[in-house]
Amino acid sequence: MRVTKLGVVGAGTMGSGIAALAASAGMPVVLLDVPGPENDRNAVVRQGLERAKKARPAAFMDPDRASLIQTGNTGDDLALLAGCDLILEAIIEQPGPKRELYARLEPLLRGDVIVATNTSGIPMRVLTEGRSERFRSNFLGMHFFNPPRYLHLLEIIPTPDTRTEAIDAARRVSERVLGKGIVLAKDVPGFVANRLGVYGMVLALDMMERYGFTIDEVDVLTGPLLARAKSATFRTGDLTGIDVLLHVTEGLSQATGEAFAMPAWVKQLVQSGRSGEKTGAGFYRRVGKAIETLDWKTLNYGPQQRPGNGELERLTNMPLAERFAALRELEGRYGEFAREYLLRFSHYALTTTPLIAYDLVSVDRAMEWGYAWEIGPFKQMDLLGVDFLTSGFEQLGLATPPMLTQVEGCFYRKAGDDQRFLANDGGYEPVPELAGTIHLASQKRWHRLLEASADASLVDVGDGVAVLEFTSKMNTLGEGVLRMLTEALARVQRDNLVGLVIGNDDPRTFTAGADLGWVTRMVRDGRWKELEAAVELFQSCSMSIRAAPFPVVSAPFGLTLGGGCEWSLHADRVQAHAELYMGLVEVGVGLLPAGGGTKELLFRFTSELAPYDEADPFEAVKRAFKLIAMATTSTSALEARKLGFLQATDRITMNRDQLIADAKQRVLDLASDYVPPSLRRTTALGREALGNLHYAAFAMHEAGQITDFEVRLAHEIAYVLTGGDGGRREVTEQDILDLERDAFLRLLGTKETQARIEHMLKTGKPLRN
């Protein structure tokens, strides 16, 4: 069974967000909500869709994809759902209205239509009471996390009656089309992620009161320091909605008999209309550009005061293993809090996992994918050590959980080339691989490492395809990466391999661009000849990607800036992850793209106009100029295609886990009859076009939009794109590369550019000067 059309009932935050995600993936959607007033029956659903269009962060990857959503109301248009293969209910979190909807839906359904609920905790058996055997066989839970576009986790909760075919179809469309990481959860209150995540929030609140800490202090202590999300405890609460948290904790308390109750002051906060981000105030509030923090003792706000503790900051920036080792020894009350929090949470995870999950791998994935943890609780426990856990539980008066008595040294352990985990029955089983994925770390364990350095590695991923992986800080492109790319291209040709993928396992950053520290050191030491050679090497790498006698596919995702964008532009194909933030952002540090990016946009945009006799070639120059001068960065792969960073032949992968495998397949698709592209020529427009671009920069300067130095930057970019200040002439790619390099070096010699680079290295933010 294939799911090709989605129905969503409920156009609230979750329903409209799920509809936006599916439409962004190219899937037609029917979106319904309750009827509005008689004069506008679709008012409610339309308002929900409009909120999704305006949502920040954006719910749609491309606003134009909203046209794939057909709207209606449940009073007049329920029959529209008859044409859908999967119907997802996301209405009010009460059993009654959900069951009433299912009763109305059932007569309309074909035999194999899947009906799913997005409930965050109501048991499936309660929702299917009174439904036919056929309905129950196609019913399951599909619990998305908010916002649906950005959080990877989807919990699928089958019932004992759910057909295997329905589970497989829901899983397939969710993984492949919607890009989700699937965890099969047991039909228990809170399922997996929320059962643990909400417990962690309640625990943090309880401990904050006992320790007398502030909200600011606890968010520092329960965030990245402990491998949790940056939003930590209270910012997460504001984003979720404090009123929603109250509802969830009350439901969990009733359903489990466990102590999930929120303190009285949290209830007072909601009663006063302060439910978090959606109401403008909660645990935090924004006043102009300033952020104020709630004093939980008085319910008044004051200036945000993060702990001025350099040791906490130092620990947060440590590698994980070193960080957790240091946490075991951290002195003072912050250390006591962190250890007690880790111990109590670990104890709850150990005690609860057999009840809520089929295995501990699912627990780790649920917290990593649904709550954006760096590593899940069992991986954390392995870093803390069994001895630390055992003695810590004893000191806190906590009984030893049965799972801890079964562990043999650690929860995850290596067995030959395989990684195994402690199963619920006490044995060790292989960690299940995710379907359709290639993880480079696994390939390295299987002795498929072809080349390695501190900054990059070359990995054999089978079928004659190698992957070049960046491993430097922020995957920046310095001398080590450039040398490894050169060696990778040579190795693929020497070993007669099929082709090369450029990609990596990093969850957030393909590359932040060129290594500015390397550049700064050469400038500081006055090594200008070396600098020129370095720029030539970067350009040579880009052109070598283009000229290789085998297919090269780039697999960018997340931050893909500067040089990473340039290398992708020169690849035969790009297999991009849907969340692609790609741009040529060099002007932010007072430079222009000189790794072939300026050249490539000029040639690419000019060639796109070639079929049109009446087209003005200046439009191509202007388009490239705007992208570079404005440092335009895509907000998705779909926008990157509109901007011109991706071409029609490039493809998009929705699931980050499947990106390397998809890129490998592109290499194999191209390999059988591959012929490298030939070098190109184009007509440089010269002084007339240069004058037009100078005038545009002048007008922006006169309007106070750009600084004197930014006028200089604009002139340098314009000079390269127009081929100089002469007349029209035919130019080669090398001609424009030479102009790129010269302009780059001129700008690098200015005090303004050097100040911008220094500021970026110190703060991570651009400087306007």
Side-chain angles (χ1 to χ4, degrees):
M1 167 182 187
R2 292 180 63 84
V3 175
T4 59
K5 188 173 184 179
L6 176 68
V8 179
V9 184
T13 300
M14 289 303 299
S16 63
I18 294 164
L21 173 64
S24 295
M27 180 178 283
V29 180
V30 173
L31 178 63
L32 306 181
D33 209 319
V34 295
E38 282 303 319
N39 63 340
D40 189 0
R41 300 274 285 175
N42 288 346
V44 177
V45 69
R46 190 173 58 253
Q47 289 165 5
L49 184 56
E50 286 303 313
R51 281 195 301 271
K53 289 179 182 178
K54 297 174 183 175
R56 291 295 177 269
F60 285 94
M61 295 177 182
D62 177 359
D64 291 346
R65 291 290 174 101
S67 63
L68 290 172
I69 299 178
Q70 180 182 8
T71 56
N73 68 78
T74 53
D76 307 323
D77 304 308
L78 209 61
L80 292 175
L81 297 173
C84 298
D85 307 300
L86 168 62
I87 299 169
L88 184 71
E89 166 270 304
I91 65 172
I92 188 170
E93 191 70 346
Q94 294 175 11
K98 292 179 187 288
R99 288 198 293 249
E100 290 172 15
L101 174 65
Y102 303 155
R104 293 182 59 207
L105 265 180
E106 186 168 356
L108 304 174
L109 302 180
R110 302 190 312 271
D112 60 351
V113 174
I114 301 168
V115 177
T117 176
N118 185 53
T119 180
S120 59
I122 301 174
M124 301 300 112
R125 63 182 181 277
V126 172
L127 296 178
T128 55
E129 284 178 10
R131 301 276 53 81
S132 70
E133 181 181 345
R134 190 190 74 171
F135 184 95
R136 295 197 309 274
S137 72
N138 290 313
F139 184 86
L140 43 71
M142 292 178 68
H143 181 215
F144 289 79
F145 282 70
N146 190 35
R149 171 181 167 183
Y150 299 98
L151 287 181
H152 190 47
L153 177 63
L154 172 63
E155 292 175 320
I156 290 183
I157 308 99
T159 75
D161 299 318
T162 309
R163 293 184 305 128
T164 301
E165 294 84 357
I167 299 170
D168 291 345
R171 181 167 198 150
R172 189 164 51 248
V173 71
S174 300
E175 285 180 334
R176 189 75 242 182
V177 179
L178 302 181
K180 293 300 163 193
I182 306 301
V183 166
L184 288 180
K186 294 183 179 180
D187 187 11
V188 295
F191 310 131
V192 179
N194 276 352
R195 182 71 167 268
L196 295 176
V198 173
Y199 172 81
M201 299 185 80
V202 173
L203 174 64
L205 282 158
D206 175 66
M207 288 182 59
M208 178 177 71
E209 292 185 339
R210 286 196 286 109
Y211 277 76
F213 285 166
T214 65
I215 283 174
D216 285 328
E217 287 176 309
V218 171
D219 262 1
V220 168
L221 291 169
T222 59
L225 177 71
L226 302 188
R228 266 73 164 170
K230 289 182 180 178
S231 54
T233 298
F234 294 100
R235 177 64 180 144
T236 297
D238 275 354
L239 291 170
T240 303
I242 305 172
D243 55 338
V244 173
L245 279 176
L246 275 177
H247 178 76
V248 170
T249 53
E250 288 170 2
L252 283 172
S253 293
Q254 292 170 8
T256 66
E258 298 173 7
F260 277 98
M262 287 282 195
W265 62 266
V266 176
K267 298 175 183 176
Q268 289 178 297
L269 200 63
V270 172
Q271 289 166 0
S272 67
R274 292 178 282 178
S275 293
E277 182 90 353
K278 61 189 174 186
T279 61
F283 297 123
Y284 295 99
R285 74 174 181 184
R286 189 179 295 276
V287 180
K289 292 185 177 181
I291 295 175
E292 294 185 342
T293 307
L294 181 78
D295 180 337
W296 59 268
K297 296 175 182 175
T298 65
L299 299 192
N300 296 321
Y301 292 91
Q304 190 172 31
Q305 294 182 332
R306 312 286 279 184
N309 188 307
E311 181 67 2
L312 293 180
E313 187 174 344
R314 188 181 70 82
L315 262 60
T316 301
N317 293 323
M318 282 182 172
L320 276 169
E322 295 176 27
R323 191 188 318 164
F324 276 76
L327 284 169
R328 292 199 302 260
E329 309 297 332
L330 181 63
E331 297 180 353
R333 299 190 71 234
Y334 288 161
E336 292 172 13
F337 182 100
R339 282 188 292 277
E340 182 180 344
Y341 184 86
L342 285 169
L343 285 165
R344 290 192 182 278
F345 189 94
S346 297
H347 189 272
Y348 187 77
L350 286 164
T351 304
T352 310
T353 290
L355 305 175
I356 64 175
Y358 293 104
D359 53 58
L360 64 83
V361 177
S362 296
V363 170
D364 278 350
R365 288 174 176 170
M367 300 313 293
E368 290 163 8
W369 295 344
Y371 277 76
W373 285 21
E374 195 172 352
I375 55 171
F378 286 93
K379 293 175 186 174
Q380 292 185 13
M381 284 186 248
D382 275 347
L383 294 179
L384 291 169
V386 172
D387 290 343
F388 172 83
L389 296 172
T390 303
S391 62
F393 294 160
E394 185 177 348
Q395 290 171 18
L396 292 172
L398 300 171
T400 301
M403 276 191 81
L404 194 61
T405 65
Q406 297 170 332
V407 71
E408 297 176 13
C410 50
F411 295 97
Y412 292 91
R413 69 182 190 191
K414 286 189 68 175
D417 293 332
D418 292 328
Q419 190 177 31
R420 293 178 172 266
F421 71 95
L422 176 67
N424 284 357
D425 64 5
Y428 278 79
E429 298 177 1
V431 174
E433 289 288 329
L434 299 170
T437 66
I438 294 174
H439 288 289
L440 299 179
S442 299
Q443 306 297 312
K444 292 174 185 176
R445 285 201 306 271
W446 297 336
H447 310 296
R448 290 179 173 172
L449 188 63
L450 301 176
E451 304 281 348
S453 72
D455 299 317
S457 59
L458 185 66
V459 184
D460 177 2
V461 293
D463 300 314
V465 179
V467 175
L468 173 65
E469 177 187 27
F470 315 140
T471 54
S472 52
K473 184 178 180 181
M474 292 289 287
N475 297 325
T476 51
L477 310 178
E479 184 176 16
V481 175
L482 270 60
R483 299 295 179 196
M484 183 60 77
L485 172 63
T486 303
E487 176 55 32
L489 293 168
R491 179 74 184 262
V492 171
Q493 185 169 5
R494 186 170 67 246
D495 291 0
N496 200 29
L497 300 180
V498 171
L500 180 69
V501 170
I502 301 175
N504 60 65
D505 277 343
D506 190 295
R508 296 180 182 86
T509 304
F510 179 67
T511 172
D515 181 356
L516 293 175
W518 179 40
V519 173
T520 299
R521 289 191 294 275
M522 287 189 281
V523 171
R524 185 185 60 223
D525 297 342
R527 292 181 280 152
W528 291 98
K529 285 292 183 184
E530 284 186 46
L531 258 171
E532 184 173 6
V535 180
E536 283 192 64
L537 175 61
F538 210 113
Q539 293 180 334
S540 173
C541 285
S542 297
M543 296 303 289
S544 295
I545 291 170
R546 171 65 53 79
F550 47 79
V552 178
V553 172
S554 179
F557 57 89
L559 282 180
T560 302
L561 305 178
C565 177
E566 291 177 299
W567 285 2
S568 296
L569 291 172
H570 285 83
D572 293 296
R573 296 288 188 275
V574 175
Q575 185 74 39
H577 182 228
E579 296 298 343
L580 179 66
Y581 316 129
M582 176 180 271
L584 295 170
V585 297
E586 285 83 353
V587 294
V589 289
L591 296 167
L592 86 172
T598 307
K599 177 270 302 178
E600 190 58 28
L601 288 190
L602 173 65
F603 276 79
R604 177 176 291 193
F605 294 161
T606 300
S607 67
E608 288 178 6
L609 295 178
Y612 308 101
D613 293 337
E614 302 302 317
D616 180 359
F618 180 65
E619 290 301 315
V621 174
K622 185 168 69 174
R623 183 181 176 193
F625 178 80
K626 286 177 65 177
L627 276 182
I628 296 168
M630 302 300 291
T632 304
T633 303
S634 68
T635 58
S636 69
L638 291 175
E639 188 182 20
R641 179 172 281 155
K642 281 186 171 182
L643 293 172
F645 293 132
L646 301 186
Q647 300 186 95
T649 52
D650 296 326
R651 293 182 186 169
I652 297 170
T653 296
M654 289 296 290
N655 192 323
R656 172 68 183 89
D657 295 327
Q658 297 172 339
L659 182 61
I660 295 292
D662 288 351
K664 172 188 171 180
Q665 187 58 51
R666 294 308 305 281
V667 169
L668 296 173
D669 292 344
L670 293 169
S672 60
D673 56 356
Y674 180 75
V675 177
S678 56
L679 292 172
R680 297 162 295 173
R681 294 173 174 269
T682 193
T683 300
L685 301 183
R687 69 173 66 91
E688 183 178 345
L690 182 63
N692 288 337
L693 295 178
H694 279 190
Y695 179 76
F698 167 78
M700 292 181 72
H701 183 264
E702 288 298 297
Q705 295 173 323
I706 60 175
T707 66
D708 291 346
F709 177 63
E710 286 165 340
V711 172
R712 164 78 186 274
L713 268 172
H715 286 182
E716 293 284 9
I717 297 165
Y719 191 86
V720 176
L721 288 170
T722 58
D725 58 2
R728 287 193 177 215
R729 64 188 177 105
E730 187 178 67
V731 293
T732 65
E733 292 185 66
Q734 189 59 53
D735 291 330
I736 303 301
L737 287 172
D738 292 342
L739 292 174
E740 270 188 5
R741 186 173 64 257
D742 292 345
F744 183 92
L745 293 169
R746 281 195 299 272
L747 288 167
L748 203 48
T750 66
K751 65 180 187 300
E752 292 88 353
T753 291
Q754 292 172 21
R756 285 189 174 206
I757 293 174
E758 183 180 359
H759 189 267
M760 177 63 74
L761 289 171
K762 283 184 177 178
T763 68
K765 297 177 181 177
L767 170 70
R768 297 284 304 274
N769 60 358

